[in-house]
């Protein structure tokens, strides 16, 4: 006889705050920043989950070195994988037979999958669920944000971006969803040379502060191009990154925690 699984267990999940990480386009470090946000919250003693809604390029499992063997379908729903420090992770990559094959999906299906990740996954009790949104501020991102009511948005940009444009678009989207923007992270802001210990602004001086002042939005941090971050991300050990005590990492953690408390 066919086994019927009852998917109506929404109330079993008790998630206090949902934070979404958004970018203007792909490749700017949105998933990496999602990983750092979750890790920072976890290190501060919170219970944390990551919902990888970047369905067509899910990279969260790789950043944390978790794999699909840890995910099970139970009567209560789909269980999550868990990272070394206990962050719960759900990603399409944990469910696919062959994670190297591209997934070509249309918008509505994508939206319903993300909603299932929210509703039908056994998250349990969480202080924070961090969502890695699809890249860009297009319909796909909007669809996800319409499915799941988030409490705040973190925007990631790089100095090459037209930051004014991204901030404008994010504000329009946030207003439409009646969701506050927590702040902006400028990633790959500069390069710190090993030899001279000076900041090199490879893409020219950033305009981010001026733009954010104009809109009265907080700058969470300017993160440099950092080879330690790349190696830890490649090795699936991103959780080790915040414990290395460089000024910009402290600043990221301090600002993030103080801004996130306001939502
Ligand atoms: P997105 O989610 O926006 O597509 P990713 O987080 O996947 O971007 O990052 C894209 C690539 O850039 C990855 O290889 C990642 O390791 C690298 N990267 C991200 N942030 C930094 C950084 N601050 N310094 C160096 N490399 C970075």
């Amino acid at each position: 006889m066919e086994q019927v699984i009852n998917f109506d267990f929404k109330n079993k999940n008790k998630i206090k705050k949902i934070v979404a990480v958004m970018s203007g386009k792909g490749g700017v470090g949105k998933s990496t920043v999602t990983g750092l946000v979750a890790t920072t919250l976890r290190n501060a003693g919170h219970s944390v989950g990551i919902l990888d809604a970047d369905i067509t390029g899910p990279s969260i499992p790789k950043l944390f070195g978790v794999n699909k063997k840890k995910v099970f379908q139970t009567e209560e729903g789909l269980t999550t994988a868990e990272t070394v420090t206990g962050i719960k992770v759900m990603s399409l990559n944990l469910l696919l037979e062959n994670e190297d094959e591209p997934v070509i999906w249309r918008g509505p299906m994508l939206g319903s999958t993300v909603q299932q990740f929210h509703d039908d996954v056994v998250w349990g009790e969480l202080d924070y669920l961090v969502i890695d949104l699809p890249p860009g501020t297009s319909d796909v991102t909007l669809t996800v944000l319409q499915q799941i009511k988030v409490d705040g948005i973190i925007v990631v940009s790089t100095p090459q971006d037209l930051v004014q444009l991204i901030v404008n678009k994010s504000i329009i989207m946030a207003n439409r969803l009646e969701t506050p923007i927590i702040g902006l992270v400028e990633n790959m802001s500069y390069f710190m040379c090993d030899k001279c210990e000076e900041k090199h602004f490879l893409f020219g001086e950033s305009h981010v502060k001026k733009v954010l002042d104009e809109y009265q939005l907080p700058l969470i941090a300017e993160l440099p191009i950092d080879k330690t971050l790349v190696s830890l991300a490649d090795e699936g050990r991103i959780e080790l990154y915040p414990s290395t005590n460089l000024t910009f990492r402290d600043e990221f953690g301090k600002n993030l925690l103080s801004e996130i408390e306001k939502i």
Side-chain angles (χ1 to χ4, degrees):
M1 206 174 84
E2 202 177 83
Q3 198 187 338
V4 181
I5 296 171
N6 177 13
F7 272 104
D8 187 22
F9 40 77
K10 285 179 199 176
N11 297 329
K12 291 218 170 133
N13 288 332
K14 289 203 174 62
I15 302 171
K16 287 190 192 144
K17 295 277 178 213
I18 305 184
V19 173
V21 183
M22 185 194 279
S23 65
K25 59 175 197 282
V28 301
K30 174 182 52 59
S31 302
T32 308
V33 170
T34 303
L36 294 179
V37 168
T39 302
T40 304
L41 290 168
R42 182 73 193 121
N43 287 353
H46 297 293
S47 49
V48 181
I50 305 179
L51 190 166
D52 188 356
D54 192 352
I55 297 276
T56 50
S59 49
I60 294 294
K62 187 166 174 281
L63 287 178
F64 286 88
V66 293
N67 64 51
K68 58 182 155 217
K69 289 188 197 94
K70 307 266 166 65
V71 173
F72 305 99
Q73 176 73 62
T74 66
E75 273 188 24
E76 296 197 327
L78 207 53
T79 62
T80 57
E82 219 163 282
T83 71
V84 178
T85 64
I87 297 171
K88 295 180 171 176
V89 174
M90 179 45 69
S91 168
L92 188 66
N93 258 8
L94 298 171
L95 307 175
L96 292 178
E97 267 312 304
N98 181 359
E99 61 191 66
D100 297 326
E101 265 176 34
V103 181
I104 303 159
W105 285 1
R106 306 275 175 247
M109 200 169 155
L110 201 144
S112 63
T113 302
V114 171
Q115 181 146 37
Q116 273 193 313
F117 280 177
H118 176 258
D119 295 346
D120 303 342
V121 166
V122 188
W123 294 105
E125 293 194 14
L126 289 182
D127 293 326
Y128 290 97
L129 180 67
V130 187
I131 304 184
D132 188 15
L133 288 171
T137 46
S138 68
D139 272 4
V140 186
T141 306
L142 189 62
T143 309
V144 172
L145 289 169
Q146 280 167 338
Q147 310 277 348
I148 302 172
K149 171 87 188 95
V150 306
D151 296 287
I153 294 171
I154 292 172
V155 182
V156 182
S157 72
T158 61
Q160 305 102 300
D161 296 335
L162 292 167
V163 70
Q164 177 115 31
L165 195 73
I166 290 167
V167 170
N168 270 335
K169 283 188 179 174
S170 328
I171 289 175
I172 291 171
M173 195 176 281
N175 285 345
R176 208 193 300 179
L177 298 158
E178 296 177 7
T179 302
I181 294 180
I182 297 167
L184 185 137
V185 176
E186 186 175 78
N187 193 26
M188 309 192 208
S189 199
Y190 54 90
F191 174 69
M192 187 84 95
C193 167
D194 286 346
K195 301 228 162 60
C196 62
E197 293 203 353
E198 263 182 42
K199 289 181 179 179
H200 298 274
F201 294 92
L202 303 178
F203 310 109
E205 204 72 48
S206 154
H207 304 292
V208 72
K209 280 192 183 130
K210 200 168 143 266
V211 173
L212 292 181
D213 277 353
E214 217 173 286
Y215 293 98
Q216 296 187 319
L217 284 177
L219 175 67
I220 295 173
E222 292 168 297
L223 297 178
I225 296 171
D226 186 359
K227 54 179 196 267
T228 311
L229 179 56
V230 182
S231 356
L232 288 175
D234 282 351
E235 292 162 12
R237 298 193 302 154
I238 194 166
E239 281 160 294
L240 292 181
Y241 191 66
S243 54
T244 44
N245 57 349
L246 285 179
T247 336
F248 60 86
R249 279 165 244 179
D250 289 350
E251 181 196 296
F252 175 84
K254 201 168 70 189
N255 291 345
L256 176 77
L257 294 173
S258 89
E259 293 304 332
I260 235 165
E261 267 178 19
K262 295 178 189 164
I263 58 169

